[in-house]
Amino acid sequence: TFLFSIMALFLRSLALSVAAAADIPTVKLNNGVEMPVLAFAAEVWDPTTCKTATAKALDAGFRFVWSSTLVGDDCQKAQQEAIKESKLQRNELFIAGTVNDPKCSGFEDCYAETKAGAEKQFTLLAEKQLDMLMLDYPADANCDSIRGQWKAFEEVYAAKRVRSIAVSNFNLQQLHCLKASNGTIPAVNQMRYAVGHGKDPVVQEDHALGVAVQAYSPLAKGKLATDPLCSKIGEAHGKSAVQVALTWILQRGVSIATQSTSLDHLKSDLQLFDFELSDAEMKKLNQYSPQISTLMV
């Protein structure tokens, strides 16, 4: 069944339910929060494009808006405007912001910078409570610096200003840095992940720690949209190469953050839940090594 295939790697630690508003499945995070498995994420676009693309995503059926500080203040404000003008109820949405301060150094410096970055997200997105706050990159310096970043996150989480806290681009050593402090385990680790990364152990390693994985750049910067193997498999299901590539990620037990300015493409990205890749197809894609970007940025 669909539930069996998509959650093959989640069975021990995660659970799946359905978000009725948009019929997008959700994954239960390690603190019990339900997160949609598909998120819309803006690129570094001008404010008008950010707003119209976010509005199109909501019209298409996306209910998870992942808004990164990396796209810039004006884009984030534009996303907030699109959310407000959508007239959707707040409880229908899952909204995430991010903080990025990888060049901070030392516990106190990283704590202060991250705390300030978190406060800025509440202002830009005009939210008293976010569904998720994500740390875009770990501090370059050392484990002590990363723990300073994480202390700031734990404080806003303890104050119930965010429903979950997450990281991005963390390797296993950096996750263990947080675990060793006996604090809050990140709910999610967002990674560059796509067809071609099937042999990388990151998903199993993160799941073993109770951390869900979310894929960014799920089409390898668009390269998989015309990939011959994905296209051939898609023909058997009446699906596109893009839909095959995204479904492979879901059936690996990984959620997705995707982006587009096209309403048709956004609608297509949601049409993943009426077919399954067979075990044989998954095996081919698991072992496939197209020329794509490496896992870590």
Side-chain angles (χ1 to χ4, degrees):
T1 66
F2 166 69
L3 287 175
F4 176 80
S5 60
I6 191 174
M7 299 309 295
L9 298 176
F10 277 64
L11 289 176
R12 284 192 293 269
S13 60
L14 301 173
L16 188 69
S17 63
V18 173
D23 295 325
I24 298 174
T26 64
V27 59
K28 183 178 287 186
L29 303 177
N30 58 22
N31 66 348
V33 169
E34 298 278 351
M35 181 187 80
V37 299
L38 293 176
F40 169 77
E43 280 279 6
V44 182
W45 296 319
D46 64 85
T48 299
T49 302
C50 286
K51 184 174 180 177
T52 56
T54 302
K56 287 176 183 178
L58 295 172
D59 287 344
F62 281 86
R63 294 297 178 262
F64 183 172
V65 177
W66 184 78
S67 183
S68 172
T69 186
L70 297 174
V71 302
D73 294 1
D74 290 341
C75 182
Q76 286 197 283
K77 289 178 183 177
Q79 288 193 280
Q80 184 274 327
E81 292 172 3
I83 292 168
K84 183 178 180 180
E85 293 174 11
S86 74
K87 306 301 182 182
L88 290 166
Q89 297 298 309
R90 179 62 180 87
N91 61 8
E92 296 179 69
L93 299 168
F94 193 101
I95 302 174
T98 78
V99 177
N100 185 52
D101 56 351
K103 298 304 180 183
C104 66
S105 181
F107 186 95
E108 293 301 331
D109 178 49
C110 289
Y111 166 77
E113 284 195 27
T114 305
K115 192 69 178 288
E119 292 298 334
K120 187 176 181 180
Q121 288 299 288
F122 293 110
T123 300
L124 290 173
L125 297 173
E127 292 289 340
K128 293 182 178 179
Q129 184 189 56
L130 291 169
D131 295 290
M132 179 175 287
L133 189 64
M134 181 177 286
L135 188 60
D136 275 312
Y137 285 92
D140 294 339
N142 50 41
C143 182
D144 195 49
S145 300
I146 292 172
R147 288 174 179 168
Q149 292 176 304
W150 199 239
K151 179 186 177 185
F153 268 45
E154 289 185 309
E155 285 185 358
V156 294
Y157 179 58
K160 300 188 184 302
R161 299 179 67 195
V162 296
R163 297 176 63 225
S164 59
I165 49 179
V167 297
S168 182
N169 301 298
F170 268 55
N171 62 32
L172 187 60
Q173 181 181 2
Q174 290 158 340
L175 288 175
H176 276 293
C177 167
L178 298 180
K179 185 179 180 183
S181 64
N182 296 316
T184 307
I185 299 297
V188 173
N189 187 15
Q190 188 191 74
M191 305 287 288
R192 187 190 299 275
Y193 192 77
V195 170
H197 294 148
K199 298 176 184 178
D200 194 284
V202 62
V203 176
Q204 296 93 319
E205 291 173 347
D206 284 18
H207 285 182
L209 293 174
V211 180
V213 178
Q214 184 184 59
Y216 72 84
S217 195
L219 301 177
K221 297 184 177 180
K223 294 178 183 177
L224 293 172
T226 56
D227 179 80
L229 178 58
C230 291
S231 296
K232 183 177 180 180
I233 291 174
E235 290 175 3
H237 298 277
K239 295 291 182 177
S240 68
V242 168
Q243 290 168 321
V244 168
L246 296 179
T247 297
W248 175 84
I249 294 173
L250 292 176
Q251 290 187 207
R252 294 277 295 183
V254 177
S255 63
I256 298 168
T258 188
Q259 56 274 122
S260 178
T261 58
S262 163
L263 180 59
D264 287 342
H265 289 170
L266 290 163
K267 287 180 177 179
S268 177
D269 287 351
L270 296 176
Q271 294 168 359
L272 308 178
F273 307 113
D274 57 352
F275 81 108
E276 296 176 38
L277 298 175
S278 68
D279 290 344
E281 290 167 336
M282 285 296 293
K283 185 175 180 180
K284 287 181 182 178
L285 291 168
N286 290 345
Q287 297 174 346
Y288 192 40
S289 298
Q291 295 299 308
I292 63 170
S293 303
T294 56
L295 183 66
M296 293 294 291
V297 295

